[in-house]
Amino acid sequence: MTALRQLEFPDAAPLELVSVGDWWRFAVSCLVRSDAEFGQSSADAGQDALFLVLGALDLPLDSFDQMHGFALTNSERKHVFNALRKRVLDRVPTAYVLGFAEQMGLRFLVDERVLIPRSYIGELLAGGLHDCINDPASIASVLDLCTGSGCLAILAANAFPDADVTAVDISADALDVARENVALHGLDDVVSLHQGDLFAPLGKARFDLIISNPPYVTAESMAMLPQEFRHEPELALAAGDDGNDILRRMLQEAKAHLTPDGILLVDMGHNRDLVEAAFPRLPFMWLATESGDAGVFMLHARDLP
Ligand code: GLN
């Protein structure tokens, strides 16, 4: 088994690989043999290879069934091969290799200045947040804290077309990427971007809905982070010993920035137990998504201290 796992990556694109399907199969094998890690924009080797091969060929990511039998040109073969080499040998996540990621069918530009979009809040927004919001028209203002690439702010603008969306990030570099994405989606007049620490740049502004996928990785997990995840900004991931450093400050200030019926929605990944242990008195409502246990909680303004 170990022999199989020792990847001998070829020096040049193998001539036997002709079709889109051939390249997908080869990419899956390379990812498996190299013990690649997933979870940033794809769940497993099959999905990651699909994203890599179709993405590098500028084909729609859902077009494999139509495209798998078609041949690549020589320059396309070199391009896919180089993309795969970066992914497998340098452990660069596929989204950074390609320069984009898709979330809920929308495309976002990404690079190492921003976290790769993957929050379950995206799925909840695309579903209209029916579990928490009876009347979407009642949402006139949305705040996205730790916006990174701007993905959730953009998905929120689409989910609540009557709302003004405000997005904040502490990283000026991340906001440069968010600005490009907001422009790409034609939302310059809808989404306003601010640089600063959580609520700091917002004065006394209040919002009907606050969403956030904050940094929540514990110090212990940061120490064991797979190589792929080390390409992402540490600032977007690390949140102290119990992963709650950013959440703690957010919870202290959130009530002052919510309207009386406002709600707070935060993605804390796999940290539900750590969150409940740290804030035993707060009535977190954990939301379910189609993809399973989401790690996203909801709190009403009235529940907050
Ligand atoms: N809001 C962005 C996302 O969900 C970035 C989050 C972050 O940087 N922690 O992808």
Side-chain angles (χ1 to χ4, degrees):
M1 208 55 205
T2 28
L4 271 178
R5 293 203 168 268
Q6 277 168 7
L7 177 72
E8 281 174 33
F9 201 78
D11 294 332
L15 289 172
E16 307 90 311
L17 303 177
V18 176
S19 68
V20 171
D22 291 341
W23 277 93
W24 173 74
R25 201 287 306 155
F26 180 66
V28 176
S29 297
C30 292
L31 288 165
V32 170
R33 287 179 196 137
S34 65
D35 282 330
E37 282 284 338
F38 309 102
Q40 287 163 300
S41 54
S42 7
D44 53 38
Q47 278 183 15
D48 208 51
L50 209 62
F51 179 27
L52 187 115
V53 173
L54 294 174
L57 293 171
D58 297 315
L59 294 171
L61 300 184
D62 60 0
S63 67
F64 186 74
D65 287 350
Q66 295 110 280
M67 300 297 178
H68 66 89
F70 293 116
L72 279 63
T73 66
N74 269 339
S75 69
E76 286 175 332
R77 285 154 44 80
K78 272 188 206 140
H79 184 59
V80 174
F81 177 74
N82 286 335
L84 183 60
R85 180 160 52 198
K86 247 194 205 172
R87 172 69 184 92
V88 166
L89 295 187
D90 302 340
R91 294 287 176 135
V92 179
T94 301
Y96 292 153
V97 172
L98 299 174
F100 74 90
E102 285 193 358
Q103 190 179 24
M104 303 317 295
L106 293 192
R107 189 167 282 216
F108 299 106
L109 303 173
V110 297
D111 59 32
E112 302 200 4
R113 290 172 290 177
V114 295
L115 192 84
I116 297 168
R118 55 177 171 274
S119 168
Y120 283 113
I121 292 177
E123 190 179 327
L124 293 166
L125 286 170
L129 280 174
H130 295 304
D131 286 352
C132 334
I133 295 166
N134 296 330
D135 178 14
S138 67
I139 303 295
S141 54
V142 181
L143 168 63
D144 177 26
L145 290 175
C146 314
T147 197
S149 63
C151 56
L152 296 181
I154 290 164
L155 286 163
N158 288 347
F160 303 106
D162 299 329
D164 286 322
V165 179
T166 301
V168 177
D169 205 284
I170 199 165
S171 156
D173 280 348
L175 285 172
D176 286 341
V177 179
R179 201 164 294 114
E180 282 189 67
N181 281 316
V182 168
L184 188 71
H185 289 279
L187 292 168
D188 296 282
D189 295 338
V190 177
V191 180
S192 63
L193 299 165
H194 304 265
Q195 197 248 322
D197 188 7
L198 296 179
F199 299 97
L202 301 173
K204 290 187 185 323
R206 289 183 183 265
F207 302 87
D208 296 323
L209 171 65
I210 300 177
I211 54 176
S212 185
N213 177 29
Y216 55 70
V217 182
T218 63
E220 193 186 350
S221 299
M222 283 303 293
M224 302 182 314
L225 216 55
Q227 266 177 285
E228 279 85 344
F229 292 75
R230 292 179 192 274
H231 288 270
E232 293 188 295
E234 192 181 338
L235 198 58
L237 296 169
D241 281 348
D242 68 349
N244 287 325
D245 277 10
I246 313 298
L247 177 65
R248 201 168 281 117
R249 293 198 288 121
M250 200 183 287
L251 290 174
Q252 273 160 13
E253 293 180 63
K255 190 170 191 157
H257 293 279
L258 282 168
T259 53
D261 291 325
I263 59 175
L264 170 69
L265 215 66
V266 182
D267 190 343
M268 291 300 290
H270 301 297
N271 293 7
R272 179 171 172 165
D273 291 348
L274 288 169
V275 171
E276 290 185 330
F279 311 98
R281 277 201 278 273
L282 288 180
F284 297 106
M285 181 177 146
W286 297 90
L287 303 176
T289 64
E290 274 178 31
S291 333
D293 194 5
V296 178
F297 72 71
M298 196 230 347
L299 285 172
H300 288 104
R302 59 177 176 275
D303 300 327
L304 285 158

